[in-house]
Amino acid sequence: MAKVIEGLYYSESHEFVRVEGGFGFVGITDYAQNALGNVVYVDMPEVDDEVTAGEEFGAVESVKAASDLISPVSGTVVEINEALEDTPELINQDAFENWIIKVELSDQSDLDNLMDAKAYAAFCEK
């Protein structure tokens, strides 16, 4: 069973958001990294790029497949996880610690459309 962490928000496309103040740390879930296998590349937006909830913001490539990243929230990218440029496999080691982008949230109500840990765990079991 994939790891699911309480207190995060989850999307049906297997991204998570950890909210701290007005910022959201966005990454892929443990379920997603498990399904992808060994991550070899992460395509990330630039700092100051706008992301929109439900829209693509990058991609994760593994030895098995490439998967688009769909932003669970809208806002401005204020930081990217530069460690992933050289060591994308950090996502396989701990998907929740190794977020992909940090976003200044433009609309907190985006979070209302996401699942909590319990709902996401049930969603993954389907």
Side-chain angles (χ1 to χ4, degrees), residues 36-106:
L36 279 167
N38 294 332
V39 174
V40 293
Y41 179 71
V42 181
D43 179 29
M44 296 178 272
E46 302 287 321
V47 169
D48 293 331
D49 280 1
E50 297 289 320
V51 295
T52 304
E55 308 264 320
E56 182 187 332
F57 72 87
V60 176
E61 294 178 20
S62 72
V63 290
K64 288 199 290 192
S67 182
D68 288 341
L69 295 166
I70 308 297
S71 186
V73 291
S74 298
T76 305
V77 177
V78 293
E79 192 178 336
I80 61 167
N81 187 345
E82 292 180 10
L84 297 177
E85 292 178 322
D86 296 325
T87 45
E89 63 274 10
L90 287 169
I91 288 176
N92 295 121
Q93 291 165 21
D94 190 333
F96 291 113
E97 275 304 307
N98 294 290
W99 50 273
I100 297 170
I101 57 173
K102 180 181 176 183
V103 176
E104 186 172 3
L105 301 172
S106 61

Side-chain angles (χ1 to χ4, degrees), residues 2-20:
K3 182 167 84 172
V4 177
I5 295 180
E6 289 290 335
L8 302 181
Y9 297 89
Y10 298 89
S11 69
E12 289 188 1
S13 52
H14 304 288
E15 287 84 14
F16 73 85
V17 184
R18 183 178 79 237
V19 176
E20 293 181 8

